[in-house]
Amino acid sequence: MSQGTLSSPVAPAVVSPQSTLRRLARRNSTVAFLLTLPLILLVLGLVVYPFFYALYLATLNKRMTRFIGWDNFTFLFGRQTFWDVVFQSVLFAVSAVVLKALIGFILAHVLHALPAKGQRKWRGMLLVPWVIPPAISTLAWWWLFDPSYSAFNWALMGIGVDPVPWLGTSGWARFSVILVNVWYGSPFFMIMYLAALKSVPDQLYEAAAIDGATGWQKLRFVTFPMMRNIISITVLFSLIVTFANFDIVRILTNGGPLDSTHVFATYAFQVGIQSGDIPLGATISLFMFPLLAVFAIFILRGVNRRNKEMA
Amino acid sequence: MSATAATSTYTPVERKQGSLKRERRWAMIGAYIALAVFVVFFMMPPFHMLMTSLKSSGEIADLSGNPWLVSAPTLQNYWELMTEGNYLIHFRNSIIVTACTVAITMVISTLAAFALARMKFWGSTTLATGVFLTYLVPETLLFIPMFQIIGGLGLYNNLWAMVLIFPTMTVPFCTWIMIGYFASIPKELDEAALIDGAGHLQMLWKIFIPVALPGILAAMIFAFTVSWAAFIYPIAFLVSSDQMVLTVGIVSDLIRADTFQWGKIMAGALMAALPPLLVYAFLMDYYIAGLTAGATKG
């Protein structure tokens, strides 16, 4: 080929670089396809396929022998427990995320105000809850909530307060699972906000100070607008993770007392795996999908906007 | 005229600086108090875990003592975990699964991220977006169909099923952050390599991986953390103790009906939390960089 171009007159010499380029492009895309093939296979085989398989499973009867259409869905709509699960999932996700965002925001601000030398040490300690696997740290909380040996109740008795049935009554159990989730997730918000705070240019604060802005005004008109995007991405992401939470509820209460702390994942696990009604379990976990899809679309929009801003 | 103007503007500034300094000092004191409160709140469970793990079962059962402190520390719980029961098997299983998951994840996501960051091909942007969306799919949405699939493959109650499934939790995010790291490498570097006659894989191996090493390390740490902490797949798919990993093994082995061996549970949990804590202690910056990059860069 190269010999051909050398010996041939002008016209083919103009064409051949194009054709070699085209061939290079073709080769490039072949290589690229081969390089991404494992990823594509993994996503298709173990994410996309299971998802559609779940849709199929949701239309079967308990023995998985017969197609029953929407019956699993209508069955769930008629059950009070299911609506309790919906309510508890929303309550759990929203209140935990609001608290995590608030605590994370406060901590990030406080850390940001510290001199750089001390910051590292404090940050290191504040991130510990988020580093310990939640399935492991929830065991420690479980023991702290133990009905007869609760170390919290011991401390409360010391100051003259009656012992609290942490996991014993619906109200307290709901509070406890949210508390543990907040404990686990706040550091994540803190570290995201801290990174965002560090990226706000100092000149903006100086300009605000010259204009006579108070601390609150600086927060309201400088910090918030600069961090808005990262706050919304973090909140949406955390909503997904919290809404789909499994380990904390499963270990602490296993849905009890009286199914009052069940979220979608634990309820699906109980129905699908433990009671063996796989189609119904699949149906329950599919209910998470519409809500998660909405969150995901908003995250994607935020991410794209941010990419455009940075480009 | 000019002199009075100068003094009149000068004095308020000085007063303001004084008040700023005082304001700052109060802000600092407030900051340290807030930090101390949250550090106590955040460190309470691990601290209590440590204290309980050092107690004998007699001391744990004694309701008259202070639950937050240990009066006669003993390492008996740790010793019993090491010498009897399946704890070491669970630990070994966790290590096997995590090591395999990290290796598989890194191979798949490095190759894919290289292609997606550098070669524009048909559908490459769609694929990159798709990878990000996959990362947003929680495993609790898919564990029931996965249960059927794993059963169909004959891998139910098999440790290796975890090695097959865990990459679904790690690969999308690792690919995503590595696309970011690879895209930030200047194009001149690959041009230089191309001129020197390097092939694609040589370019990846000799330029991209060494240059993006911090990003690769961050991705590895992420994969390690996720697969060490995985809970829903092990609890749904593993039933016999010799196949279990740490997150499910501790509970299933140390709770027999109504007897909770809290001292051993806490000792086992603490040791299970140690590997991530150590990685975090030594590589904190990579750890944080990896996780924040996921949201700030992408």
Side-chain angles (χ1 to χ4, degrees):
Chain A
M1 181 68 201
S2 61
Q3 273 178 349
T5 46
L6 276 178
S7 57
S8 59
V10 184
V14 175
V15 172
S16 73
Q18 268 183 350
S19 72
T20 42
L21 263 181
R22 201 176 299 142
R23 209 176 48 169
L24 197 73
R26 205 180 304 141
R27 207 187 60 188
N28 247 351
S29 69
T30 330
V31 173
F33 176 71
L34 287 177
L35 290 178
T36 47
L37 191 62
L39 175 79
I40 294 170
L41 286 179
L42 182 87
V43 169
L44 285 183
L46 293 173
V47 181
V48 176
Y49 170 64
F51 177 74
F52 285 102
Y53 190 45
L55 288 176
Y56 166 71
L57 280 176
T59 62
L60 298 180
N61 68 343
K62 186 176 176 178
R63 297 256 162 269
M64 291 190 278
T65 48
R66 203 159 44 81
F67 175 84
I68 54 167
W70 295 98
D71 281 9
N72 281 323
F73 291 87
T74 46
F75 173 75
L76 281 175
F77 283 140
R79 281 190 67 154
Q80 186 54 39
T81 316
F82 176 72
W83 293 108
D84 290 347
V85 169
V86 174
F87 170 76
Q88 170 63 10
S89 293
V90 173
L91 177 81
F92 175 74
V94 171
S95 52
V97 169
V98 166
L99 283 171
K100 284 189 272 194
L102 209 64
I103 292 175
F105 195 75
I106 293 168
L107 284 175
H109 261 274
V110 168
L111 269 185
H112 192 56
L114 292 190
K117 219 173 6 157
Q119 225 180 74
R120 222 182 131 71
K121 207 171 52 200
W122 286 101
R123 193 184 62 181
M125 283 192 283
L126 289 170
L127 278 173
V128 165
W130 176 66
V131 175
I132 304 175
I136 303 281
S137 56
T138 309
L139 292 174
W141 281 101
W142 194 25
W143 171 224
L144 281 166
F145 290 147
D146 188 272
S148 38
Y149 296 97
S150 169
F152 285 148
N153 284 344
W154 182 86
L156 286 177
M157 295 226 288
I159 56 170
V161 180
D162 282 342
V164 171
W166 295 103
L167 304 173
T169 63
S170 299
W172 279 108
R174 283 180 173 153
F175 170 80
S176 301
V177 289
I178 292 169
L179 177 75
V180 176
N181 193 280
V182 169
W183 175 84
Y184 167 68
S186 300
F188 172 70
F189 277 87
M190 179 192 81
I191 204 73
M192 298 299 287
Y193 289 167
L194 193 63
L197 273 179
K198 285 191 193 302
S199 69
V200 179
D202 279 339
Q203 292 96 305
L204 292 182
Y205 291 111
E206 283 161 21
I210 289 167
D211 288 345
T214 61
W216 166 250
Q217 282 172 324
K218 280 185 206 167
L219 191 71
R220 169 74 186 75
F221 295 106
V222 181
T223 315
F224 266 132
M226 291 300 287
M227 286 174 65
R228 203 175 51 207
N229 210 342
I230 193 91
I231 289 178
S232 61
I233 293 175
T234 316
V235 165
L236 285 167
F237 178 70
S238 179
L239 269 175
I240 290 187
V241 175
T242 314
F243 194 69
N245 182 279
F246 176 76
D247 20 19
I248 291 174
V249 176
R250 161 83 198 162
I251 293 174
L252 272 188
T253 64
N254 200 4
L258 297 170
D259 293 333
S260 58
T261 54
H262 261 314
V263 289
F264 278 110
T266 53
Y267 190 51
F269 184 84
Q270 195 185 20
V271 171
I273 310 280
Q274 287 182 310
S275 313
D277 193 342
I278 285 184
L280 196 62
T283 315
I284 294 164
S285 57
L286 276 178
F287 272 102
M288 282 192 276
F289 182 72
L291 218 54
L292 298 182
V294 172
F295 294 153
I297 289 167
F298 277 107
I299 292 187
L300 206 63
R301 259 179 42 186
V303 166
N304 282 338
R305 200 182 306 146
R306 195 177 165 80
N307 279 350
K308 267 181 211 133
E309 274 167 20
M310 289 178 88
Chain B
M1 180 64 200
S2 65
T4 52
T7 46
S8 66
T9 50
Y10 190 67
T11 36
V13 168
E14 202 176 39
R15 204 186 301 141
K16 208 168 197 175
Q17 264 181 346
S19 78
L20 261 181
K21 207 178 270 173
R22 206 176 325 130
E23 204 178 276
R24 227 183 138 66
R25 202 174 53 229
W26 277 110
M28 285 310 255
I29 293 173
Y32 280 114
I33 291 174
L35 280 180
V37 168
F38 276 105
V39 166
V40 168
F41 171 50
F42 283 178
M43 292 304 235
M44 207 157 46
F47 173 77
H48 190 239
M49 212 185 222
L50 176 68
M51 286 299 136
T52 309
S53 75
L54 295 173
K55 288 178 183 176
S56 62
S57 36
E59 196 181 340
I60 291 172
D62 179 17
L63 278 170
S64 63
N66 183 341
W68 294 98
L69 296 172
V70 52
S71 59
T74 163
L75 287 176
Q76 203 194 342
N77 291 319
Y78 293 90
W79 179 248
E80 280 175 13
L81 278 179
M82 293 297 192
T83 50
E84 49 198 74
N86 282 340
Y87 187 76
L88 284 181
I89 294 176
H90 299 152
F91 216 106
R92 190 203 62 194
N93 288 349
S94 269
I95 292 173
I96 292 173
V97 170
T98 305
C100 293
T101 307
V102 171
I104 293 171
T105 305
M106 290 324 287
V107 171
I108 296 181
S109 54
T110 313
L111 293 178
F114 175 66
L116 289 171
R118 269 305 192 265
M119 306 173 187
K120 292 273 171 273
F121 56 95
W122 184 81
S124 62
T125 41
T126 319
L127 187 59
T129 312
V131 167
F132 185 67
L133 283 177
T134 330
Y135 161 54
L136 295 179
V137 175
E139 63 268 28
T140 42
L141 191 64
L142 297 178
F143 73 102
I144 287 181
M146 209 72 108
F147 182 81
Q148 288 295 101
I149 293 168
I150 290 299
L153 292 172
L155 287 172
Y156 181 66
N157 191 24
N158 187 331
L159 189 63
W160 295 103
M162 301 300 117
V163 178
L164 182 68
I165 306 170
F166 283 5
T168 58
M169 300 188 281
T170 55
V171 165
F173 182 78
C174 290
T175 310
W176 179 252
I177 61 169
M178 257 150 42
I179 292 174
Y181 277 106
F182 283 168
S184 68
I185 295 174
K187 284 240 167 48
E188 287 78 16
L189 275 180
D190 6 339
E191 280 160 17
L194 278 179
I195 289 168
D196 288 347
H200 285 110
L201 288 179
Q202 262 181 321
M203 201 154 83
L204 173 65
W205 187 247
K206 296 239 167 88
I207 295 178
F208 277 70
I209 291 180
V211 173
L213 205 57
I216 288 175
L217 204 53
M220 271 174 91
I221 293 172
F222 174 83
F224 161 79
T225 317
V226 165
S227 69
W228 193 266
F231 183 65
I232 188 163
Y233 288 134
I235 203 175
F237 302 161
L238 302 176
V239 286
S240 60
S241 183
D242 64 321
Q243 297 292 322
M244 281 181 179
V245 294
L246 277 173
T247 42
V248 292
I250 295 173
V251 186
S252 78
D253 264 31
L254 297 175
I255 298 172
R256 288 266 174 265
D258 273 350
T259 40
F260 290 66
Q261 300 165 288
W262 281 113
K264 274 161 87 175
I265 294 175
M266 291 297 122
L270 207 62
M271 283 195 282
L274 215 54
L277 281 172
L278 284 177
V279 169
Y280 164 72
F282 288 107
L283 299 167
M284 185 158 76
D285 293 315
Y286 294 108
Y287 201 107
I288 292 168
L291 272 133
T292 45
T296 52
K297 279 207 173 148

